[in-house]
Amino acid sequence: MVVVKRTVRTSHPAAFTALKALASIVSLNDKISLDTVEGGKSDSFSLEMTVVATDPFSKNDVSYSVSGFLACARAICKAVPDCGLWGQVNGETVGESDVESWVEKALALITPAYVVSEDEAKDAVYKTQVEEFVQSVDKALKSDFLVGQSATAADVVISILVAEAASRTGASISHLGAACALFGKILTNAMIVDAVGTLEIPSQNASTPETATDSSSSMDFSLNEVVKKLNELSISHRTYSHKLSIKVEELITNVPLPPNETHTKNVFFKDKKYGLFLVCVKPEADVNTKALAKALNLGGKANLRLANEDLLMEKLGVKTGCVGPLSIINNKDQDVTLVLDEALFAEDVKLIHSHPLTNDASTALTPSDLKKYLAASGIEPVFLPFEPKSDHPAAGKAPANRPPDAKTVKGEKKGEQQPKNKDKKTAKKGETLLALQWKKDENFAMWYSDVIVLSEMISYYDISGCYILRPWSYKIWDIIQNWFNIEIEKLGVENAYFPLFVSQDRLEKEKDHVEGFAPEVAWVTKSGDGELAKPIAIRPTSETIMYPAFSDWIRSHRDLPLKLNQWSNVVRWEFKDPTPFLRSREFLWQEGHTAHATFEDANVMVMQALELYRRAYEEILAVPVIPGYKTEKEKFAGGHQTTTVEAYIAGSGRAIQGATSHNLGQNFGKMFNINFQDENGKSQIAWQTSWGFTTRAIGVMIMVHGDNQGLVMPPRIAPLQVVIVPILSRNKMSHDDAKPYCEGILQELQKAGIRAKYDDRTMYNPGWKYNHWEQKGVPIRIEVGPRDVESKQVRIVTRYNGEKEDVSVEGIGSFMTEKLASIQHAMFVKAKQDRDQHVVQITEWKDFVPNLEQNNLVLTPWCGGEHQDWEEWVKDKSREESLAARGQEGEDARTSTSVAAKTLCIPFDQPDLPEGTKCFASGLPAKCWVLWGRSY
């Protein structure tokens, strides 16, 4: 019999508890010994296990060691595979990766559970960490256990670590029913109790903020302007930290109050004529703008609208979600009228809780003290009664949420109830919002709209289809431009600029070209009060603007090749539903135009430009693309041949044209007399190309990588690659203490060429900053706490996967350079895997629409681009069958997201086409494979 001895060595013996429980389950508890490592650092954790097996015949020992909690847990569980602890069922490892993933996530709890001191464990950072982890467990539980239908190592390890960590941090988790039910089931199991003793999940009485939020672990509020003002006025108050709460509903859930205390719901309005109003009411009050205007005697033409975040910050010094009556202190111009709900000051209200300029804290004070605070600040509020809101909106009243009423689809009864998104956080009129209100996998369009606005990428404009590119998105465009300019310079391409306007005669000179753009052309017809003699078009593209100049400049073969590029804006008056970045009436782009002596030279240029587009998407944006030729039906109007790179959006199941490069042949040369004398003195017509890449690429990147927290930026395109956030503490690290350490790190990062920022703002706490920069997609966050300064290390948090890692500050520049490169690669690999699993190859029509309905791109044998009639047939037939499968009779002709399939490209990379293969639609002999999909 082989004798196996296992010895676990750890710097923190208490951490052996979970491993003892696992060992007990697999009957190894008496075969594992514990050895404490002496002399290790008290604030670092180490654990390893040595396994020694003695051969009974040779008496020789064979040994190996495993390091780290995860590896030790895995080794113990796999000592008896059939126990199923590591996901094995009937000899198959069906749940192994899930078990391992959960155990790995739970390791974050080791520090608060065992490593830090009792006092340090009370820090708000650890408390929040435990609470957020348990929330993720609670959300993930679909049955009694995390993986499969019986308990695994994941359930055991997590239950024990949560019990230890929650007890030491004071985390509030007892309200998370599903998670606590799991923990109770594991911790009360007789085998677990025998192995490790009695462990319990701390129970909290959630009736008061003191227990809902451990005020003893609150951050330092001494620098908070509201708290400073209250202290100066000797006004009694209690300011406490709590979980970040964007909406009043979240606040009520996160910080439940007794019946005689209340939170406030706060709305910031503007009116062009009557000015600004901050309205603060009880959470259950209904804020009706018409009734409010009437009560304020604003007159019949009052039009109270929600003010935007820029105005909120300018006037009250707070971000969306942080406003409240206490923020009126920041209104230095005193041009905001404060409107207060009379019910807040009723006799039965003992305390009013309101944000002190940040939405992860609240200040509680009596109604009379709130009045005293306002009076001392020179504020004379208006007190008005507000009716409680009804559970149901008035009949006929449109909901306040975006978007406006959807168009009624043919075959759908008007007023018919549509399925509701049960996880949507409803954005009721008048409430301030910060977090995303929609989930990516449940309402993709609204999720996208939320992301681009809340991450400060765009702002809406008062002309439909036109948008403001804010600095965060324009910096992305800057990065693309800088990279692209370097690359095209290598190809001999020079930048130039041509006018925005084109005459009607020039635009209409090329018949096929103008027909392709005619519906989208915007015309200038007036100058002041007078009509123009001839309308002038705003460029939809620049061929007809640039080529008359080409004709003037090109005379001889010595003038060729002519290679120009311009960065400009373009106007195409789309009649379909506009979508920021993807489909807008004005957009930014790069357009290259070249002239060559031969077709072959022109074609080389076409492929060189397309390769740059592929690299821009794959190497810079981490978005995989499929290069290929467009069919005759889909090629550029007036061109000879169009090449394209096609991307795939997994969230919507749609393809999108990434960029195109066109061989224009000699068509435009003939129209605009672009002639040259060759080396033999004979007159020839130039061969031309054009190629373009637009701000659409930014939208594609957002859709491919974004998640339910906001943007997820690939490092090479991120305006900011690393942000440094100090974790200030009342007694351990002030702003002045943190500054030199953080600025030293910043300098090292910048020396390494990394775009980095030290977020030293004192008005926001770390939790708010974490949320802010996660929403904006910054690839890496560096957290610096008191212990990090002492240990000369930092904690880094990776945005795209949430991974946390403690690293030394020594050599941090080179470390971060490598880390960012690995993130870039990993994001591309993931996006490519998501894309590849949605590309299918079929040969029969019967498989076509079912695959479209599964959000797939479909590769089919095709009879050739000359058969445009069959291409149109596929489009019409796929629409008909898809609508029938959905129980609809038709779709809006103006929709930009049709259910019909269209050809995306004829991929350069062609699968083998066996002789005799028929076209999947026409039955004619197939000439190639073509890629189809639903497209934007």
Side-chain angles (χ1 to χ4, degrees):
M1 177 180 178
V2 177
V3 178
V4 182
K5 297 179 180 178
R6 296 172 174 84
T7 304
V8 174
R9 295 178 179 85
T10 179
S11 56
H12 293 75
F16 188 49
T17 306
L19 297 183
K20 283 174 63 179
L22 296 177
S24 176
I25 295 172
V26 296
S27 300
L28 293 177
N29 50 320
D30 58 346
K31 298 180 176 64
I32 296 182
S33 58
L34 174 64
D35 185 11
T36 302
V37 178
E38 301 293 342
K41 293 183 178 181
S42 62
D43 60 351
S44 62
F45 175 78
S46 64
L47 188 146
E48 67 176 11
M49 182 170 69
T50 302
V51 181
V52 180
T54 304
D55 187 323
F57 298 101
S58 66
K59 305 297 182 182
N60 292 330
D61 290 343
V62 178
S63 66
Y64 68 92
S65 296
V66 291
S67 298
F69 188 98
L70 177 66
C72 292
R74 184 195 303 117
I76 290 172
C77 294
K78 287 196 169 185
V80 185
D82 290 338
C83 71
L85 273 181
W86 212 252
Q88 303 94 328
V89 178
N90 297 327
E92 298 181 14
T93 57
V94 293
E96 182 172 327
S97 61
D98 291 333
V99 172
E100 187 147 331
S101 175
W102 273 112
V103 173
E104 188 171 22
K105 291 175 186 176
L107 300 187
L109 301 183
I110 285 180
T111 297
Y114 306 118
V115 178
V116 297
S117 67
E118 289 286 346
D119 289 340
E120 289 175 316
K122 299 300 182 184
D123 192 292
V125 173
Y126 295 125
K127 177 173 173 292
T128 301
Q129 182 183 27
V130 175
E131 290 171 347
E132 290 180 349
F133 177 79
V134 177
Q135 285 171 5
S136 71
V137 172
D138 191 72
K139 185 176 179 181
L141 280 167
K142 305 302 181 186
S143 61
D144 290 344
F145 303 100
L146 282 166
V147 182
Q149 300 303 311
S150 59
T152 65
D155 305 297
V156 175
V157 169
I158 287 173
S159 297
I160 292 173
L161 290 182
V162 166
E164 301 273 28
S167 176
R168 299 181 91 228
T169 62
S172 175
I173 60 174
S174 59
H175 61 287
L176 298 169
C180 289
L182 168 65
F183 304 152
K185 189 174 299 184
I186 298 297
L187 299 177
T188 57
N189 180 276
M191 186 176 293
I192 301 295
V193 174
D194 287 343
V196 301
T198 301
L199 293 173
E200 295 180 348
I201 299 297
S203 60
Q204 289 91 7
N205 176 8
S207 63
T208 63
E210 289 93 337
T211 55
T213 62
D214 186 357
S215 58
S216 66
S217 65
S218 297
M219 64 174 298
D220 184 5
F221 291 107
S222 62
L223 297 178
N224 185 284
E225 293 300 322
V226 166
V227 173
K228 286 166 65 177
K229 183 70 174 178
L230 289 167
N231 291 339
E232 288 172 9
L233 298 172
S234 299
I235 293 177
S236 175
H237 68 92
R238 181 169 50 80
T239 299
Y240 57 93
S241 62
H242 53 67
K243 184 181 176 184
L244 188 143
S245 303
I246 310 303
K247 297 171 57 183
V248 70
E249 288 88 351
E250 296 174 22
L251 189 58
I252 291 170
T253 300
N254 296 334
V255 189
L257 300 174
N260 59 354
E261 299 181 24
T262 182
H263 295 292
T264 63
K265 180 169 68 175
N266 312 286
V267 197
F268 190 43
F269 289 120
K270 66 175 180 178
D271 182 280
K272 289 183 178 179
K273 182 177 180 180
Y274 297 103
L276 303 169
F277 300 85
L278 173 59
V279 180
C280 305
V281 300
K282 293 189 76 171
E284 63 270 21
D286 181 25
V287 182
N288 181 295
T289 54
K290 289 185 178 180
L292 177 61
K294 185 176 180 180
L296 290 169
N297 299 315
L298 299 185
K301 294 186 178 179
N303 186 18
L304 291 171
R305 298 288 185 90
L306 289 178
N308 61 31
E309 187 173 66
D310 292 339
L311 190 59
L312 183 62
M313 177 59 76
E314 176 188 344
K315 295 297 181 181
L316 297 177
V318 291
K319 287 257 187 177
T320 303
C322 303
V323 69
L326 299 174
S327 61
I328 200 70
I329 190 179
N330 286 337
N331 184 221
K332 305 303 182 185
D333 298 331
Q334 294 199 351
D335 54 355
V336 176
T337 299
L338 178 62
V339 180
L340 296 176
D341 185 356
E342 289 180 351
L344 290 170
F345 301 88
E347 289 186 6
D348 60 341
V349 176
K350 301 303 180 186
L351 287 175
I352 299 173
H353 297 248
S354 180
H355 291 316
L357 311 181
T358 177
N359 57 5
D360 55 0
S362 288
T363 295
L365 66 172
T366 66
S368 60
D369 281 336
L370 176 58
K371 287 182 178 181
K372 182 179 177 182
Y373 169 86
L374 297 174
S377 304
I379 305 300
E380 296 183 9
V382 176
F383 296 90
L384 294 176
F386 288 82
E387 295 293 326
K389 60 186 176 183
S390 171
D391 291 337
H392 304 286
K397 184 178 179 180
N401 304 346
R402 275 189 303 121
D405 292 340
K407 300 176 181 68
T408 303
V409 177
K410 186 177 179 182
E412 177 183 309
K413 294 180 181 178
K414 192 171 183 180
E416 189 175 42
Q417 289 287 329
Q418 295 299 308
K420 293 182 178 179
N421 178 1
K422 64 181 180 180
D423 290 315
K424 180 193 73 170
K425 298 181 179 70
T426 307
K428 294 183 176 65
K429 188 172 182 179
E431 290 182 355
T432 55
L433 301 175
L434 181 63
L436 270 64
Q437 307 303 303
W438 304 86
K439 291 187 177 181
K440 184 177 183 180
D441 60 352
E442 293 177 357
N443 193 323
F444 186 79
M446 292 306 296
W447 166 85
Y448 177 72
S449 181
D450 262 1
V451 168
I452 59 177
V453 172
L454 294 176
S455 62
E456 300 176 336
M457 295 284 276
I458 67 113
S459 285
Y460 286 91
Y461 194 59
D462 63 353
I463 297 175
S464 176
C466 298
Y467 309 96
I468 300 168
L469 298 191
R470 300 184 65 175
W472 197 247
S473 61
Y474 199 86
K475 178 61 177 177
I476 295 172
W477 189 236
D478 266 343
I479 293 169
I480 292 172
Q481 286 188 71
N482 293 336
W483 177 86
F484 199 81
N485 279 331
I486 292 170
E487 296 301 322
I488 60 175
E489 188 176 350
K490 296 175 185 177
L491 302 177
V493 180
E494 297 179 290
N495 280 319
Y497 185 79
F498 289 76
L500 174 67
F501 303 108
V502 55
S503 68
Q504 186 173 9
D505 291 342
R506 283 191 176 181
L507 185 65
E508 294 179 350
K509 196 164 187 177
E510 211 298 311
K511 180 175 179 295
D512 289 340
H513 180 68
V514 75
E515 283 183 358
F517 284 104
E520 302 174 348
V521 176
W523 295 92
V524 179
T525 60
K526 294 186 69 174
S527 173
D529 294 332
E531 299 287 335
L532 294 181
K534 288 187 177 180
I536 297 173
I538 303 174
R539 64 170 163 234
T541 182
S542 296
E543 283 78 5
T544 57
I545 298 173
M546 300 173 77
Y547 295 167
F550 277 36
S551 178
D552 292 339
W553 299 341
I554 296 172
R555 291 286 182 268
S556 162
H557 65 89
R558 288 182 290 273
D559 299 322
L560 296 174
L562 177 61
K563 301 180 179 180
L564 298 180
N565 176 69
Q566 81 166 349
W567 298 93
S568 64
N569 61 335
V570 167
V571 175
R572 295 181 184 174
W573 212 256
E574 298 271 7
F575 66 91
K576 295 181 179 180
D577 295 329
T579 304
F581 295 119
L582 302 191
R583 184 182 294 277
S584 57
R585 287 176 172 156
E586 180 189 10
F587 56 87
L588 303 180
W589 77 345
Q590 152 286 315
E591 53 176 325
H593 295 267
T594 68
H596 304 262
T598 67
F599 172 85
E600 290 75 18
D601 284 348
N603 217 39
V604 169
M605 184 72 247
V606 168
M607 293 304 174
Q608 286 176 330
L610 193 74
E611 174 61 10
L612 288 185
Y613 295 152
R614 182 200 66 77
R615 289 180 59 200
Y617 271 100
E618 297 195 343
E619 296 177 13
I620 308 299
L621 300 169
V623 173
V625 292
I626 299 173
Y629 298 103
K630 285 291 188 182
T631 62
E632 286 295 306
K633 177 177 170 56
E634 294 292 332
K635 75 176 185 181
F636 181 68
H640 170 71
Q641 187 179 66
T642 292
T643 62
T644 181
V645 288
E646 299 286 326
Y648 174 74
I649 312 297
S652 63
R654 290 183 175 273
I656 188 164
Q657 179 179 288
T660 50
S661 180
H662 315 288
N663 189 326
L664 301 179
Q666 295 177 309
N667 197 26
F668 287 92
K670 293 174 183 176
M671 291 297 105
F672 290 96
N673 298 315
I674 306 176
N675 302 318
F676 68 96
Q677 289 211 340
D678 65 15
E679 294 177 350
N680 300 318
K682 297 180 66 174
S683 180
Q684 303 286 353
I685 299 170
W687 298 84
Q688 291 177 262
T689 76
S690 69
W691 23 280
F693 182 97
T694 80
T695 42
R696 165 179 285 193
I698 299 174
V700 174
M701 181 270 295
I702 295 168
M703 288 182 162
V704 168
H705 298 302
D707 61 19
N708 289 333
Q709 279 67 55
L711 296 179
V712 181
M713 292 277 198
R716 291 194 66 181
I717 199 62
L720 192 61
Q721 294 170 314
V722 178
V723 63
I724 304 167
V725 178
I727 304 171
L728 306 181
S729 174
R730 181 185 298 119
N731 301 319
K732 297 181 181 179
M733 188 170 74
S734 68
H735 172 71
D736 291 339
D737 295 332
K739 185 176 180 179
Y741 189 79
C742 293
E743 287 186 344
I745 295 169
L746 178 65
Q747 290 175 7
E748 290 300 313
L749 296 176
Q750 291 175 337
K751 283 180 186 177
I754 295 169
R755 295 186 290 275
K757 175 184 177 68
Y758 168 37
D759 190 344
D760 60 353
R761 294 173 293 176
T762 57
M763 69 191 73
Y764 302 120
N765 66 21
W768 189 95
K769 293 177 183 179
Y770 295 169
N771 183 72
H772 175 73
W773 294 116
E774 282 181 4
Q775 201 167 74
K776 293 175 80 70
V778 175
I780 291 178
R781 179 176 76 243
I782 292 180
E783 300 172 2
V784 177
R787 290 191 306 104
D788 297 310
V789 176
E790 292 171 6
S791 305
K792 297 194 180 306
Q793 66 176 29
V794 295
R795 167 159 291 187
I796 66 170
V797 182
T798 302
R799 172 67 180 91
Y800 98 97
N801 64 3
E803 178 183 271
K804 297 182 179 180
E805 184 178 358
D806 292 332
V807 300
S808 169
V809 294
E810 185 176 349
I812 195 167
S814 58
F815 174 85
M816 282 297 183
T817 299
E818 294 177 5
K819 184 70 175 179
L820 290 166
S822 70
I823 292 171
Q824 182 84 22
H825 174 71
M827 289 182 68
F828 175 76
V829 169
K830 180 180 183 300
K832 189 173 186 299
Q833 290 172 344
D834 290 344
R835 192 275 312 273
D836 289 349
Q837 68 183 11
H838 284 285
V839 179
V840 298
Q841 188 173 320
I842 68 161
T843 56
E844 297 182 74
W845 174 261
K846 67 179 178 65
D847 300 320
F848 186 65
V849 172
N851 271 290
L852 290 178
E853 289 294 304
Q854 294 176 34
N855 291 337
N856 290 331
L857 305 182
V858 188
L859 197 61
T860 72
W862 185 238
C863 52
E866 65 273 20
H867 293 284
Q868 295 189 36
D869 53 342
W870 278 106
E871 199 167 338
E872 193 65 28
W873 180 88
V874 171
K875 183 177 180 180
D876 292 340
K877 187 67 173 174
S878 63
R879 178 191 292 111
E880 176 188 328
E881 291 190 9
S882 293
L883 291 172
R886 298 171 180 212
Q888 299 175 349
E889 296 177 10
E891 64 180 2
D892 193 328
R894 298 172 297 172
T895 182
S896 58
T897 52
S898 172
V899 297
K902 61 177 286 188
T903 55
L904 305 174
C905 69
I906 300 169
F908 292 160
D909 185 9
Q910 286 277 308
D912 291 335
L913 186 67
E915 187 175 349
T917 302
K918 303 294 184 183
C919 170
F920 86 116
S922 68
L924 297 171
K927 298 180 179 179
C928 63
W929 292 88
V930 69
L931 187 67
W932 303 80
R934 291 174 177 149
S935 181
Y936 283 98

